Amino acid sequence: MEERCKTLADPCDFMGIRPIMADLPYPQIQVKERNQSYANLLSIDYCGAVSELSAITQYINNENRLSHENCGVAKTILGIGMAEMIHLQKLGELIVLLGGTVDFTARYKKGGRMWTPEYLSLPEQLPKMLLADIEAEKAAIRQYEVHIGMIRDECVNAVLARIIKDEHYHIMLLKDLLQSL
């Protein structure tokens, strides 16, 4: 007997979802000069414990788990995750321009550490998911602010400052979702 593929009665349609970000342009991706220590700092933002790669993975996981029960929230989560992908791409470009390597290794002062899913917070209940996402966005902002204070390249810092604007926007949206539950 032939088994049929299972489908949802009311599948969530993700076609047409766009990145959710502040309606502002990004600065041109450029650097004043090559600087390995700046590239190393950005590698932490790229794929460290608090990073764009962690954010993308956490958002996609949450979206996958929510799409069958709460399509509207899942679409918002996916849009935020797509914005984080753009951040990852821009950081990768900066790292390469600074002379660094993009290989999913965060280069801390005490050595490199390859990205791991252990960095993620994946609660089961929707309110806890949203709270974990808000905390991750706040941690990213704090880390970017520290890195801006350490980097003396206005070209790089302009991009980081622009990414922070998106992260603040994401916090606002996530808080709105949480309040609407």
Side-chain angles (χ1 to χ4, degrees), residues 41 44 107-112 150:
L41 282 174
I44 296 166
R107 289 174 170 75
Y108 299 96
K109 288 184 180 179
K110 295 181 180 181
M150 298 170 74

Side-chain angles (χ1 to χ4, degrees), residues 50-146:
V50 175
S51 69
E52 297 300 337
L53 185 58
S54 293
I56 292 163
T57 308
Q58 186 164 308
Y59 281 123
I60 293 300
N61 183 278
N62 289 346
E63 173 271 314
N64 288 160
R65 293 185 294 148
L66 291 171
S67 64
H68 304 294
E69 299 167 5
N70 196 325
C71 184
V73 173
K75 286 181 177 185
T76 300
I77 295 293
L78 179 60
I80 293 172
M82 292 168 75
E84 305 297 354
M85 289 178 197
I86 291 169
H87 299 166
L88 185 78
Q89 187 274 332
K90 292 186 181 307
L91 289 172
E93 282 189 57
L94 288 172
I95 291 166
V96 170
L97 287 173
L98 289 164
T101 304
V102 179
D103 60 2
F104 302 104
T105 300
R107 289 174 170 75
Y108 299 96
K109 288 184 180 179
K110 295 181 180 181
R113 172 131 192 225
M114 177 89 67
W115 185 86
T116 173
E118 294 171 4
Y119 295 153
L120 306 179
S121 176
L122 302 172
E124 290 298 318
Q125 298 82 20
L126 176 55
K128 290 183 180 180
M129 279 182 199
L130 295 174
L131 287 169
D133 292 341
I134 290 167
E135 288 309 309
E137 294 283 0
K138 288 178 179 179
I141 291 168
R142 287 190 300 270
Q143 182 169 285
Y144 280 127
E145 288 171 342
V146 167

